[in-house]
Amino acid sequence: MTTTQAGTLTRPLTGIKVLAFELQVAGPYCSMMLADQGADVIKVERPDGGDTARGGAPIVTNDAGDKQSGYFVRFNRNKRSVTLDLKTEEGRELFRRLASEADVLVENYRPGLLQDMGLGYDVLSKDSPRLIYTAISGFGSLPQYQGKYSKRPAYDIVAQAMGGLMNTCGEAGGPPTWLGVALGDVVSGMNAAHAIAVALFQRERTGLGSYIDISMYDSMVALAERSMTAYSLTGHVLQRGVEPYMAPWGPFETSDGWVALVVATDRDWAKFCDAMERPDLVGTEATTTGPARAVNMSKELGAIVRQWFKKHTTEQVSDLLLSRGLPVGPVQDAQQVFECDHLQSRELFIDVPDPVIGTARLVGPVAKTSAGLPPRTEAAPRLGEHTDEVLAEIGLTPEQIAGLRSLNAV
């Protein structure tokens, strides 16, 4: 809960320190969510290049020839960057010291990497029993829950494929389709941030931290719960392009674009028929239930519905259906979303300063609260930008930091 201190509003996670040993998307997305809520996120990176996302496209070049990665900027606002070479004993010792003062550790490297370096949960939790150690991996890392895939590497598309999402996306008879967004990474990061918030709450009661194990595979199966439930209860495997339970469902082509809707109930079907001026389609054997309509969408009923959409513009269809209380919306591209007046009212996009780009307009935090706090908009850090600052905070002198630099430990 946001509190007031000397008249100043503070964010919910102000005072929480997060050590983030992360790369690419899943870990950075998790720690970004924590940073947005006020956490002090210290991002630990390799001295030789840092997070591999720093080289990801799109690359923006300014007039001075300096380059910045849009891929990196997306997930790394409001953080501080420290470079440590964990191949050196000095670098590992600094990591242990940072972890001993952290509330939360987030990592999404291959399972066992930190363990192999002597920086696993078993070691770090001895120094800091309050530490909440969060590991995001492809297939899970807690020993008691390991399976035959646990040591496998994974990217988002692998998790989407194995988790059942891609099998239900795409056209009937066509190939499985990636969903167009890194759900395997982003949702795993969201799940991790949620689990961390719960663990912080629990720590207030017990005084103890915990090990949080987030699997991308698990996260995708959880998103595919509709398919899992259908198979569990009926033995039926849902397939892409074929909807057995509700209809009409899906994007429909209009005279100038596409709209998306689902007619979820029989009452909504009556409203839909009213909009089409086809009351004769209500109450027939082919339309009485969602499953019946679904079967007949591949027959004459589907042709009637699709022809009606194509006779109208997207705006006309939306007005007709919305006037009858039916949820409907246009299929929008990135430019249309970016320029949406409603989202401007929601203040979803935030302007984040950047030393290379100048200003990056990014998607900001989704949750809105009555506290009315403006979002944090601190720039994504340059590689190692805060190394001296953070090491000084744990007691190192300028001479000691210089000595570590001479050893290439930082």
Side-chain angles (χ1 to χ4, degrees):
M1 180 179 295
T2 301
T3 58
T4 301
Q5 297 176 348
T8 302
L9 290 171
T10 59
R11 292 180 172 81
L13 295 182
T14 297
I16 297 297
K17 182 170 289 188
V18 178
L19 189 62
F21 184 58
E22 58 184 22
L23 78 167
Q24 289 291 322
V25 181
Y29 199 97
C30 169
S31 63
M32 179 187 71
M33 291 183 68
L34 303 177
D36 283 344
Q37 298 305 321
D40 176 16
V41 175
I42 299 171
K43 184 181 180 76
V44 176
E45 302 186 71
R46 297 177 296 108
D48 57 338
D51 186 342
T52 52
R54 288 184 180 275
I59 300 293
V60 179
T61 305
N62 66 14
D63 293 340
D66 299 318
K67 298 181 183 298
Q68 177 62 288
S69 163
Y71 189 103
F72 181 80
V73 167
R74 286 159 59 197
F75 311 121
N76 289 286
R77 62 177 179 256
N78 302 323
K79 303 179 186 180
R80 297 193 287 170
S81 171
V82 172
T83 53
L84 297 181
D85 186 352
L86 299 187
K87 295 178 182 178
T88 68
E89 179 53 44
E90 294 82 2
R92 292 192 292 272
E93 177 56 29
L94 288 173
F95 190 91
R96 281 190 283 268
R97 288 182 65 175
L98 289 168
S100 71
E101 298 195 5
D103 296 283
V104 176
L105 186 148
V106 175
E107 62 106 338
N108 70 312
Y109 278 77
R110 70 165 175 81
L113 178 61
L114 285 181
Q115 183 76 31
D116 294 343
M117 294 180 179
L119 300 172
Y121 177 68
D122 57 340
V123 173
L124 299 181
S125 62
K126 287 180 181 178
D127 294 334
S128 178
R130 290 173 56 84
L131 180 66
I132 295 167
Y133 186 114
T134 308
I136 307 171
S137 63
F139 300 96
S141 57
L142 265 174
Q144 61 265 43
Y145 295 113
Q146 287 193 2
K148 65 179 183 179
Y149 300 145
S150 295
K151 300 300 182 184
R152 285 189 181 185
Y155 275 123
D156 162 74
I157 193 170
V158 175
Q160 287 196 30
M162 294 183 66
L165 291 181
M166 286 175 58
N167 186 65
T168 56
C169 294
E171 296 183 0
T177 303
W178 180 64
L179 276 73
V181 62
L183 290 175
D185 290 314
V186 171
V187 173
S188 297
M190 290 178 174
N191 286 343
H194 170 261
I196 289 167
V198 172
L200 286 168
F201 182 79
Q202 180 70 2
R203 193 180 71 176
E204 289 300 304
R205 295 178 169 178
T206 66
L208 297 174
S210 56
Y211 185 104
I212 296 172
D213 172 13
I214 300 293
S215 159
M216 294 167 65
Y217 187 22
D218 295 355
S219 295
M220 293 303 91
V221 173
L223 279 187
E225 52 78 27
R226 183 172 186 257
S227 298
M228 301 302 114
T229 303
Y231 180 75
S232 173
L233 298 182
T234 70
H236 177 69
V237 177
L238 298 184
Q239 298 293 338
R240 56 189 167 277
V242 180
E243 169 49 46
Y245 301 131
M246 298 182 193
W249 177 319
F252 291 92
E253 188 174 8
T254 65
S255 64
D256 63 350
W258 294 79
V259 295
L261 87 158
V262 56
V263 177
T265 67
D266 296 338
R267 179 176 295 182
D268 284 351
W269 171 246
K271 295 177 181 178
F272 183 77
C273 290
D274 181 59
M276 290 197 302
E277 298 181 344
R278 290 296 304 267
D280 56 300
L281 295 177
V282 178
T284 71
E285 184 178 350
T287 64
T288 298
T289 66
R293 292 192 296 275
V295 169
N296 286 288
M297 281 299 290
S298 62
K299 303 174 183 177
E300 182 182 2
L301 181 63
I304 293 171
V305 169
R306 283 185 281 271
Q307 287 172 11
W308 179 78
F309 277 105
K310 286 186 178 181
K311 290 179 181 178
H312 299 82
T313 66
T314 297
E315 184 176 6
Q316 289 170 336
V317 165
S318 298
D319 289 345
L320 284 168
L321 297 180
L322 287 170
S323 69
R324 287 155 176 86
L326 294 175
V328 62
V331 176
Q332 299 187 129
D333 62 26
Q335 180 179 354
Q336 291 169 314
V337 173
F338 201 76
E339 297 174 353
C340 176
D341 291 339
H342 177 81
L343 294 180
Q344 303 308 315
S345 299
R346 293 285 298 166
E347 299 181 7
L348 179 62
F349 295 101
I350 59 175
D351 292 324
V352 178
D354 185 87
V356 175
I357 298 172
T359 300
R361 176 156 287 191
L362 304 173
V363 178
V366 171
K368 307 297 181 188
T369 72
S370 59
L373 280 168
R376 288 184 73 185
T377 55
E378 297 160 33
R382 304 295 278 172
L383 180 60
E385 179 181 349
H386 304 95
T387 299
D388 290 13
E389 174 183 296
V390 170
L391 295 185
E393 290 173 0
I394 60 172
L396 273 70
T397 66
E399 293 75 21
Q400 289 173 315
I401 296 171
L404 290 166
R405 289 192 187 283
S406 68
L407 297 173
N408 295 320
V410 301

